[in-house]
Amino acid sequence: MEARVSAAFSSPRPWSPSPDASDIVKGIHAMLHPHNIVLVGATDKPGNYAERIWNNLVKYGFEGGLYPVNAKRETIWGVPCYKDFAALPEKPDHVLVLVPARFAVQVIRDAAAAGARSATIVTSGFSELQDDESQKLAAELQAAIRETGLAVTGPNCLGNLSAGEKLFTNIDDRIVTMEQGAVAIAGQSGAIVMAIRQALEDRGVGVGYMVTTGNEAGLETPDLMRYFAEDPSVKVIVVYLEGVRNTKAFRDACKAARAASKPVIALKLGASEGGRAAAMAHTGALAGSIETFDAIATREGVIRVGGLDELIETTECFIHAAVPNGDRLAAVTLSGGKRGMLIDAFYAEGLNFAPLSPHVSSELARMLGPGSIVGNPLDAGFAAVVDPSVYMKSIKLMIDDPEIDIVIIDAELPKAPHELRELRERNLRIVDEMASRASKPVIYISAMSIGFTEFTKSLRKSLPHLAVMQGMDRAVTAIKSLLAYAKLRKEVPDIVSSSKPAARAVLEKALTSANGAALDEVASKKLLKAYGIPTSKEATAQTAAEAVKIAKQIGFPVVAKVVSAEILHKSDIGGVVLNLSNAAEVRNADITARVKRLKGKPRLDGILIAQQVKADLELVVGASLDAEMGPVVLFGTGGIDIELMKDVALAGAPLDGTEARLLIGRTKAGIKMRGYRGKAALHEASAVKTLVGLSNLIADAGDRIASIDINPFLINTRTGVAVDALIVLNNAAAKRAAGH
């Protein structure tokens, strides 16, 4: 065999980025559609990565040039082996770096100098290791990639797939169909990305692109998402995320996918507390990393799945099911037990089946007779089992009904030929034809995950208009995601801080003068007031006599609270006294003595005397700086049971009034505020104003504030006020206090 010299591709490429596309999109296109591939570090040691990748490129018939490079070999794998880039018969295009880590940086520089446009660094030994030498190599590699402008995946990755080009620069030895499927996959873990591709292929879902990004010294997963959003061959984008390094790039990629009507299905690793000093506050404890990811990513159209099985079912659903016009569900089964299971499974996810129209109900009753349950879901029962044509007519009635948006059929594909094969196959194809003409999804669900045989896979490929799902619970979750995606706006507006210069000036002064882990309550509330957040009437006293004077000015009843930046949760140490209704009670509120008895002798800055507001509802309003996703705001049920209740919702900051009202509406507290069981509606406007102001504050602070906790925010029918506040700073003192 001879090294293959590139020739004209046998079929024209269907798409190329426009001239005004970003350099990143153009670079990724060069990587996935190269003219030739050069393997630097080619070696025929048994089982090594280089040989496995070479074998895959040959086996699947990559049509461009293939060139091994190794200065110590003249031939390898039965073909010429080249000393360096200068010895190649043509300019290198895509370079696979398989040399030891210490040589990789120079290979990247040499490849760029020789005219290469992209590279994949399979080699490991960089930032995934913790020693100084590996970290230094990682920094040098990033600098080389940045300076050369090459589109680079890796290091520490396992290669890529571009089915349309018959390109498989991957070590996987499992069979790949090389069909230009509508799914594109990208992710940091090569093993997980490869497993996803294999599982989708086993289900008959074609994967057009698969990119393993490894340590992401160059291209990151959001960069691939941007490319997939632009490539018209891609319908669904699947990503595996271990972390989000650049929140803006991720959100921009999500927006691009949403604008192109391409769902992003994400498997994301869980919460990480690293670097989040906000855990000292209630908000930090409630706003975990995964919850924060959901708050920001869901708004941008991302569907986060809980595991690999759920990912496969959700991808299957979005590939084969059209986006529905509404959420009116209908189902057909042949079993009363299955009917009950369908009702329970959908109800558990907050979904219900729509009432059947009078026309459909009467037609079904006429056809089915005794032994059936004419309702939704429909148990077609004995009549449909005896006469399969009745079963088909029942399905057709559901599909043709304009008052139904999704039709679900409880059935599984046959695993092998049998005496009913022709009838079942014919009926499946009839339903597939019905689905092709319908403006609604038609979804087959098997109650259990039974797997696909080779016979099932072949049959499944002949049914392109049907979603075929395995396992009722996972199928219901996927359908719920489909319904949620249908309700999203196609374009998500960017929201910027609406704060005034005067507020930002107060913020800068407060942060500049702060010298501890947190701002005390007085300083915190001063900052909140500057951002338009309503607070209770209050003042700080240094003596008992001064406290009485302040209380009389405010009006009884009042609350007395310790003021100390070193005491983060005052109620835990008896630092809050409520219901002080006269001067004597204020004078006798012995908070100072309690503080003096505390271990560590925290500094006392005074006693805050505040108006005691009568509340119909206690809320928590907060903000947090997530280490991955950036600033978020939180709203929900507050008070002493906040962690127990966990009735909270989050959204990315900043917010406007519309987004704030949507956030409130996602909680049980929001339902109560709008008038629950005949009670009067509470003062929502004050909560909206607070959320907008708070979101502006956390956004304006950049990375200098870790969390803001307003608990409780008291609300009644006339007003709402912040009666307690804690602002935790994102500085060395805060991290020491949080145990980081």
Side-chain angles (χ1 to χ4, degrees):
M1 178 181 175
E2 296 182 358
R4 190 179 304 148
V5 178
S6 64
F9 285 89
S10 59
S11 59
R13 294 175 186 152
W15 174 79
S16 290
S18 64
D20 58 350
S22 70
D23 290 341
I24 287 176
V25 168
K26 291 176 181 175
I28 294 170
H29 191 73
M31 179 183 71
L32 296 175
H33 301 269
H35 301 302
N36 61 55
I37 298 173
V38 180
L39 288 78
V40 180
T43 173
D44 52 6
K45 291 179 181 178
N48 76 86
Y49 281 9
E51 187 171 62
R52 292 167 73 175
I53 292 170
W54 174 269
N55 288 340
N56 277 335
L57 287 166
V58 172
K59 177 168 64 176
Y60 294 111
F62 175 69
E63 297 181 3
L66 291 177
Y67 306 117
V69 170
N70 185 330
K72 297 179 180 179
R73 300 291 298 270
E74 293 186 359
T75 63
I76 191 170
W77 307 316
V79 302
C81 189
Y82 299 91
K83 181 180 179 181
D84 51 28
F85 292 120
L88 296 175
E90 63 177 329
K91 181 172 67 176
D93 197 11
H94 180 63
V95 176
L96 285 168
V97 181
L98 297 146
V99 296
R102 64 185 182 277
F103 303 122
V105 173
Q106 192 58 50
V107 170
I108 288 296
R109 293 190 182 279
D110 292 346
R117 297 185 296 166
S118 65
T120 292
I121 306 173
V122 178
T123 304
S124 58
F126 294 88
S127 60
E128 76 276 11
L129 304 179
Q130 300 303 312
D131 61 279
D132 292 342
E133 183 62 29
S134 299
Q135 296 298 316
K136 181 183 176 183
L137 271 177
E140 291 174 358
L141 179 61
Q142 283 187 307
I145 293 170
R146 187 169 55 249
E147 291 164 15
T148 60
L150 283 184
V152 177
T153 49
N156 189 31
C157 71
L158 295 179
N160 310 320
L161 163 73
S162 179
E165 302 287 2
K166 301 176 184 176
L167 179 154
F168 195 48
T169 56
N170 192 275
I171 66 167
D172 202 344
D173 56 5
R174 291 170 290 190
I175 297 299
V176 179
T177 60
M178 282 297 171
E179 294 178 3
Q180 182 63 55
V183 177
I185 312 170
Q188 291 157 281
S189 167
I192 289 177
V193 168
M194 288 156 59
I196 292 169
R197 186 209 63 77
Q198 184 65 43
L200 289 172
E201 179 150 310
D202 287 346
R203 289 286 295 276
V205 177
V207 175
Y209 296 112
M210 180 193 75
V211 180
T212 67
T213 59
N215 295 1
E216 299 191 344
L219 293 169
E220 299 182 8
T221 300
D223 299 326
L224 276 301
M225 291 165 61
R226 285 299 298 263
Y227 177 81
F228 298 149
E230 294 196 26
D231 188 328
S233 72
V234 175
K235 183 177 179 182
V236 174
I237 301 167
V238 173
V239 295
Y240 167 75
L241 298 168
E242 293 180 353
V244 177
R245 299 178 184 176
N246 186 329
T247 307
K248 184 179 185 306
F250 177 73
R251 295 181 74 166
D252 286 347
C254 293
K255 289 178 191 295
R258 182 69 190 127
S261 298
K262 298 181 182 184
V264 176
I265 300 171
L267 179 61
K268 171 76 167 63
L269 285 193
S272 170
E273 293 297 327
R276 215 173 68 223
M280 290 192 297
H282 291 300
T283 299
L286 292 168
S289 248
I290 204 69
E291 292 85 0
T292 303
F293 177 84
D294 287 344
I296 291 175
T298 300
R299 179 177 182 266
E300 312 290 0
V302 174
I303 299 106
R304 184 179 66 82
V305 294
L308 288 168
D309 284 333
E310 187 181 325
L311 183 150
I312 300 304
E313 298 308 322
T314 304
T315 304
E316 161 73 30
C317 185
F318 274 89
I319 280 290
H320 289 105
V323 176
N325 297 319
D327 59 2
R328 296 169 298 180
L329 305 174
V332 182
T333 181
L334 295 172
S335 160
K338 293 279 192 71
R339 180 180 188 271
M341 289 181 64
L342 282 164
I343 293 171
D344 285 352
F346 279 90
Y347 179 80
E349 290 294 335
L351 303 173
N352 294 292
F353 292 93
L356 296 177
S357 67
H359 165 70
V360 171
S361 292
S362 62
E363 284 294 307
L364 289 171
R366 182 183 61 79
M367 284 194 309
L368 298 175
S372 303
I373 301 175
V374 177
N376 192 11
L378 169 70
D379 172 13
F382 181 74
V385 173
V386 171
D387 184 355
S389 68
V390 170
Y391 181 56
M392 297 299 290
K393 289 174 184 175
S394 301
I395 294 172
K396 187 175 189 306
L397 279 169
M398 297 286 200
I399 292 176
D400 290 346
D401 188 351
E403 296 182 24
I404 291 173
D405 299 309
I406 299 180
V407 177
I408 295 158
I409 301 168
D410 163 43
E412 65 234 17
L413 300 188
K415 299 184 77 170
H418 48 74
E419 63 268 21
L420 295 178
R421 171 184 172 186
E422 291 185 5
L423 176 62
R424 292 187 69 183
E425 287 188 35
R426 186 192 69 189
N427 287 347
L428 281 164
R429 291 193 174 95
I430 290 172
V431 176
D432 184 69
E433 179 62 26
M434 292 179 194
S436 72
R437 297 192 301 268
S439 57
K440 65 187 68 172
V442 179
I443 301 173
Y444 274 74
I445 297 178
S446 63
M448 296 176 286
S449 182
I450 60 171
F452 277 16
T453 64
E454 291 304 317
F455 173 80
T456 310
K457 293 179 194 177
S458 175
L459 176 60
R460 198 267 167 277
K461 287 186 178 180
S462 69
L463 308 170
H465 306 293
L466 301 178
V468 179
M469 307 189 69
Q470 298 268 293
M472 190 175 293
D473 292 341
R474 294 194 299 268
V476 172
T477 302
I479 291 169
K480 183 179 180 181
S481 295
L482 184 69
L483 291 169
Y485 186 80
K487 295 176 182 177
L488 292 172
R489 290 172 291 185
K490 187 164 184 177
E491 293 187 7
V492 182
D494 282 320
I495 301 172
V496 297
S497 174
S498 57
S499 62
K500 296 179 180 177
R504 295 194 292 273
V506 174
L507 169 65
E508 294 304 320
K509 184 176 180 180
L511 294 178
T512 302
S513 60
N515 54 19
L519 302 182
D520 64 34
E521 184 175 352
V522 173
S524 294
K525 283 184 174 176
K526 182 178 179 181
L527 190 48
L528 297 183
K529 286 179 186 177
Y531 274 81
I533 297 168
T535 59
S536 54
K537 297 176 183 177
E538 58 192 32
T540 303
Q542 299 299 329
T543 65
E546 193 177 356
V548 170
K549 181 179 179 181
I550 292 169
K552 289 179 178 179
Q553 291 172 343
I554 291 174
F556 295 102
V558 295
V559 180
K561 295 188 281 187
V562 61
V563 179
S564 173
E566 297 176 14
I567 301 174
L568 301 179
H569 298 299
K570 296 178 284 293
S571 59
D572 292 348
I573 55 93
V576 179
V577 182
L578 305 172
N579 301 312
L580 301 175
S581 57
N582 55 55
E585 291 181 356
V586 172
R587 191 177 296 109
N588 294 329
D590 196 16
I591 295 178
T592 302
R594 295 176 195 175
V595 173
K596 289 179 179 178
R597 290 195 296 270
L598 290 175
K599 184 180 179 180
K601 306 297 182 184
R603 188 183 76 251
L604 179 66
D605 297 318
I607 303 299
L608 187 71
I609 304 300
Q611 169 193 17
Q612 183 159 321
V613 178
K614 182 180 181 300
D616 293 320
L617 184 63
E618 291 190 14
L619 302 172
V620 59
V621 184
S624 178
L625 182 68
D626 185 80
E628 284 187 343
M629 303 304 294
V632 291
V633 291
L634 173 147
F635 175 88
T637 300
I640 60 173
D641 295 330
I642 177 173
E643 279 92 357
L644 179 65
M645 294 287 292
K646 288 197 173 180
D647 169 41
V648 295
L650 296 98
L655 301 175
D656 59 15
T658 299
E659 294 283 338
R661 281 184 283 273
L662 289 172
L663 176 61
I664 291 169
R666 287 163 46 203
T667 64
K668 294 175 183 176
I671 295 172
K672 292 178 182 178
M673 284 173 58
R674 291 168 187 176
Y676 181 64
R677 292 200 168 185
K679 292 185 178 180
L682 305 183
H683 198 260
E684 185 182 66
S686 60
V688 170
K689 184 178 182 181
T690 298
L691 281 168
V692 172
L694 194 64
S695 75
N696 288 338
L697 172 53
I698 192 76
D700 288 349
D703 62 356
R704 295 173 293 173
I705 290 179
S707 70
I708 307 169
D709 203 22
I710 301 174
N711 181 39
F713 183 90
L714 301 183
I715 192 168
N716 55 39
T717 56
R718 299 183 309 278
T719 188
V721 293
V723 298
D724 199 0
L726 170 64
I727 296 179
V728 179
L729 304 177
N730 190 27
N731 60 14
K735 289 172 183 175
R736 284 196 301 272
H740 293 298

